[in-house]
Amino acid sequence: MALYQINKGINKPIEFKGLKAQYIGYLAGGLVILLVGFAIIYLLGVPVHYCIMIIAGLGSALFYQVFRLSHKYGEHGLMKKAAKRYLPNHLKFTTRKVFLNLKK
């Protein structure tokens, strides 16, 4: 019989250094925005040392926030939280027709 390797990670979410799923994209997008922000601040004439301090502070805040969201909500939790806002608190029916038609 032939020996086959089993890929045990076939349905697992993408994970990189503790970040799961869409949070990798959020971090990448934030870093691109910080790069563009650095260029804009530098072109405005702010000294390089101040630019680096500002971007380093914002970058630290970005990393902290993205990792915190990743650990708090996990792979699908943030999407579930966003979807929960669109659920109504209660339903109001003025007639019994809805319930009587359920048997058909």
Side-chain angles (χ1 to χ4, degrees), residues 61-75:
L62 172 71
F63 269 83
Y64 175 75
Q65 185 68 20
V66 169
F67 272 93
R68 190 176 71 106
L69 288 173
S70 177
H71 291 299
K72 183 175 181 181
Y73 293 112
E75 182 183 358

